[in-house]
Amino acid sequence: MPAAATLESLTSILPVTFPTPTPTTHPDLVTTQDLHREEDLLRNPFSFRHWWTAIQNVKENFAALQKAESASDISPEAAALLGPLSSPAARKSLQRQTYLYEAALMQFPASFKLWKSYLQTRMSFVLGKLVVKKKAGGRKKFPEMREALEDEKEDLEQWEGGVDGIVGWEEWRLLIATFERCLMWLPRMPRIWLLYLSIFNHPFCPPQVSHTHARRTFDRALRTLPPSLHARIWARYLLWAESKGGATTVAVYRRYLSVDPSITERYTSLLLSENNPEPRPLEAAKLLLSLARKAARGEYTSPEGKSPYQLLGEFLDVVEQHAEEVGLDVPDTIDSNKKIADEAEAQEAASQQQPEAAAVDGKLIRFAGPAAAVGPDGNLLAPYDEDEDPRHPRKLNVENIVHKDGLEVYKDQAGRLWTGLATYWIKRGEFERAKHTFERGLASVLTIRDFTQIFDAYAEFSESLISALMESLANPDEDEDEEDVKETEKELDVKMKEFEELMDRRPFLVNDVLLRRNPNDVQEWEKRVALWGDNDEKVAETYNKALATVNPRRATANFHRLYINFAKFYEEGGTTGEAEHDLDSARKILDKATKVNFKTVDELAEVWCEWAEMEIRHENYDEAIRVMQRAAVIPKNTKINFFDHTLSAQARLFKSLKLWSFYVDLEESLGTVESTKAVYDKIMDLRIANAQVIVNYAAFLEENKYYEESFKVYERGTELFTFPVSFEIWNIYLAKFIKRYGGTKIERTRDLFEQALDKCPPKSCKPIYMMYATFEEEHGLAKRAMSIYDRATNAVADEDKFELFTIYIAKATSNYGLPATRPIYERALEILPDRQTAEMCLRFAAMERKLGEIDRARAIYAHASQFCDPRVHPKFWQEWNNFEIETGSEDTFREMLRIKRSVQAQFNTEASYLAAQMAAKESGQETEAEAAPVDAMAAAERQAAGGKAPAFVSAKSSTNVKQQEPLEAAPAAQANEDEIQISDDED
C-alpha cells in the first residue's frame, strides 16, 4: 500500500514542465516580487540583456534557496526516482526557468547562447549533476580514429542522480522534444548535436529512445553536419554502438569501416569479445585475413604497429579457437583444393597462349583478359575474393590460406604456421588430417627451430591421444561392450607403436632438415650414414644418394671422404665386416672419384693416395705403384698455374706436393734407388719441392752412400730457396759436409761458408758464423777464427752482438790473454747500443782492475755513467762506489758523486722519472728517489749539521790499497754511503 501511494504521488508530481509553464497555467509562477521584472521585460522585449539578467537572477535565487532548504518529506526511494526534482523548490525553479527561457526564445529563436543555456538547464534537472573531470594536457586537433575513441571514452559525460526513465518518462520526452525544437532553428551547430547525443549514454535513459531513436539521431547528425565534423560524431556513435552490442555494433561498424578501415582490428576484437552475446568468428577471421593480405601488399599499415605476419598470426588464433565456425571440413577442403589446382592449371595454360587484343570500333581498349577494376584514385583494385568479404557466409579453406598466404610468404615462420594448421584440424576432431599435416610440416621445414616447434607439438598431440585412450580404458562407460573395449585397446597399441616410431625417427628427421637446408653438407651425410648403423643396404643407399646429390664445387669440407669411406665400406665387407670383401667395387668407386672435379687439388690427391694405400693393405704392391704412376702423369704443358681455380683439379694434379710426397715414400719403401731418384728428380724439375723434400732427398742419397750427389741436392736446394728457408738447408748441409770431410777439404768448406754468408740476413747469420769459427778452431787457424768472430760482430743483428762479443772476448782471452781483449772491448763500446754498454763497461773495468790499471778502470766507469740513471741502474753505481772505496781517494770519490749528481739531473725529467719508477718496480728494487733525497750534497749537509756524518775512508793512490776501518759506526738505517765528511777549514 505505501508503494502504491508513492507511485500515485509521483505520478501526480510529474511532469513538471507540461504543459509549458505560464502565469495562466500556473498562477503561482509569478509572485508580486516579480512584477517589476515582468514590467521591465514587457517594456524591453527585444533586449537580450534584460532576458539574460532575469534568467540568471532566477538561477541565483534557486541556488540560494537550495542551500537553505531542509530535508524533503518524501521517502528516499521516491527521492532516488525523482533525482534533482525531488524537492518542491527544484520543481518550482524548473517551471520558472522554463517559463522565462520559452518567453525569451519567442523573441530570439536563433540564439545559440540562449538555446545552449536552456538545454543545459533542462539537462541538469533531468539528467542530474554533471561530473566535471580533470584533464591533463591538450588533445590532438585531428587525431586518428583509434586515438579519438580512446580519448572520447575517457571524456564521456557522467552524471550524479537523474530522473528515472520510467517514472520520469514525460520529462525525458519533453527534454528530447526541446532538443528537436532547437535543431529546427540551429541544425548545423555541432555543439547542440553533441549535447543531444550525450543524453543517450545516460544510465537512466528510457529504452523508448535509447535504441532506435538514438541510432536515427546519430544518422541525422551525420547527414546534417558537414563531413569535416563527422569524426566527432562517429567517435560517440561507435562508442554508443559498442555499448549496445549485437547487430547494432555490427551495422554501425560496417558503415564506418566502408569509409575508414583503420579500426578494423578494434572491430575484430569486439566481434570476438567475451561480452559480445553474438560472437562472429567467421567475420573476424575474414577481416583479419583481408588486413594481413593488404599489409603484405603494402596497402595497409596497422595503427598498432603490427606486422603482416602478426596479423596473419591473429587470424590463425581465431581459426584455432573457432575451428568449427570458421573453416571447411575435410571433404570440402579436398574439393576446394582440387578446384583451386584446376583453376591454377587453367590459368597457366591460358598464360601460355597468345592473348588477343580487345577493341571497340577499331579502337584498342586492352590487350587481353577481363576488365580491371579501378578505384576512385585511379589505382587498380584487388579482384573480389569471397575469403575477404566479411558478409559472405561461405567458410574458409584454412589449409589453402595457410599455404598461400603463410608458408609461401613467411618461410622463416614455418613452424608456427604448420602447428597452427594442425591445431585447427585437431580442434575439428580430424586427427588423421592433423597427423598428415604434422608429417608434411616435418618433411618441409628448413630450420631446426621450426622442426623443434612442429615435433614438440606432434609429440604432445600423440601423448594426448594416448592419454585419452588410456583414460577411456581405465573408466569404461556402462554401455560399452567387450568389442568396443578390444577396439580401443587395439587402437591404443597402434598409437603407442606410432609414438615410439616417431621418437625413433627424430634423429633421421633432424638430419633431413639439415640436408634440405644444405644438400651439399658432407658432414650431415656422414651423420646420416652413421644413423643407419649396421644396416648395410641403407648405408650403401645413403652413400649413393649423397654422391648423386652433392655438388663437388659447392660441397663443404672433406667431400672426398665420402668416396673414400664408401670404398672402405666395400673393402671391409660392410659396417660389421661380415659381408664379402669387394675390392672391385671399392676400386670402381675410387676410380669414379678420380674423375670428380673437386674444389681443391689436395682432395683429389688424397683419393689417389687412399687408393694406393688400399692396394698396399691387400699386399698388391705393384698395383699400388701403378696407381701412383697413373696419378703422377706429367702433361706436355707444365707451365700450368697450380692456384688457377678456373682449371679442373685433374689438370693441376701433377703439381700436387702431397701426391708426389706419397709417391716418393712409396718408391723408397717398395721401389729401387734409381726409381726413387727418378721421382725425386721429377719433383725437382717441376719446381714444387719444399725444404723438407730437399732434406729427405739428400738423406736418402746419403743412406745409400751417394754422398756427392746428396751434396749436389743440398746445393740445388740452396739455389731454389732464399732465406730464411735456405738457412735450414745450409745448416744441415754444412754440418753434413764437415762431418763427412772434416779437415780434409778446408778450402772447399771455407767456400761453402762464404757462399752461405754471402746473402744471409743479419738475424740468421749468427749460427753460421759460430759454426764457421768452430770449424777454423778445430781444423784451421786460430787467427782466421778470430777474424771470423770479428766479422760476425759487424754482421749479426743488434740483439745478438752482445752475446757474440762475449764469446769473442772469451776466445781471445783463451788464445792471446787478457791484454789482447782491450781493443775488442773498445770496439764493443763503440758498436753496442746504450742499454748494453753499461754491462760491457763493467766487464771492461773488471778486466782493467785485474791488470792493475786503476785509472783506466775509473775512466771506463766515468764513460759508462752517462748511460746509467741512478734510479734504474743502482747496481752500477754501487759497484763504482765500492771501487772508489777500495782504490780511490777523497778527490776521486768526490768526482764520482759529482758525476752521479750530474747524471741524475740529466735524467731528472718527468717522463724519465716515471720510466725509472716503472723499471725499478718491475725489477723488484726501490728507486733511488724513494730511498734517498734527490740532492746527495744537501742530504750530506743536513746529516753533518745533525752530527751524524759517517767517517770518510781514505786511500792511497797505489794499486795495493786496503780498506781502513771506519772511525765511527753509524746506524745502518740512517747511514748514507755517498756522504763525505768535509772539514770546516775547507773553502
Side-chain angles (χ1 to χ4, degrees), residues 389-490:
D389 186 0
R391 303 189 184 190
H392 200 283
R394 187 173 73 88
K395 294 184 179 180
L396 300 173
N397 184 351
V398 178
E399 199 170 87
N400 178 64
I401 292 171
V402 170
H403 280 81
K404 177 183 175 183
D405 299 299
L407 295 171
E408 293 180 4
V409 180
Y410 310 106
K411 300 182 186 297
D412 57 334
Q413 301 294 335
R416 168 70 183 96
L417 297 171
W418 280 112
T419 52
L421 181 57
T423 305
Y424 161 74
W425 290 119
I426 294 171
K427 291 291 183 68
R428 292 190 65 94
E430 303 290 348
F431 299 139
E432 289 300 321
R433 192 72 175 181
K435 178 183 173 184
H436 176 66
T437 303
F438 278 126
E439 292 289 346
R440 289 178 62 192
L442 292 175
S444 63
V445 293
L446 299 175
T447 62
I448 295 297
R449 178 176 64 91
D450 293 334
F451 168 81
T452 304
Q453 194 172 359
I454 297 174
F455 187 86
D456 292 345
Y458 193 4
E460 185 179 354
F461 162 65
S462 301
E463 289 176 355
S464 63
L465 279 182
I466 294 171
S467 301
L469 291 173
M470 293 177 68
E471 187 176 352
S472 64
L473 288 175
N475 303 310
D477 295 336
E478 297 179 357
D479 55 349
E480 282 187 349
D481 53 9
E482 294 183 1
E483 293 183 0
D484 295 337
V485 174
K486 290 182 179 179
E487 188 69 27
T488 305
E489 291 178 351
K490 184 178 179 181

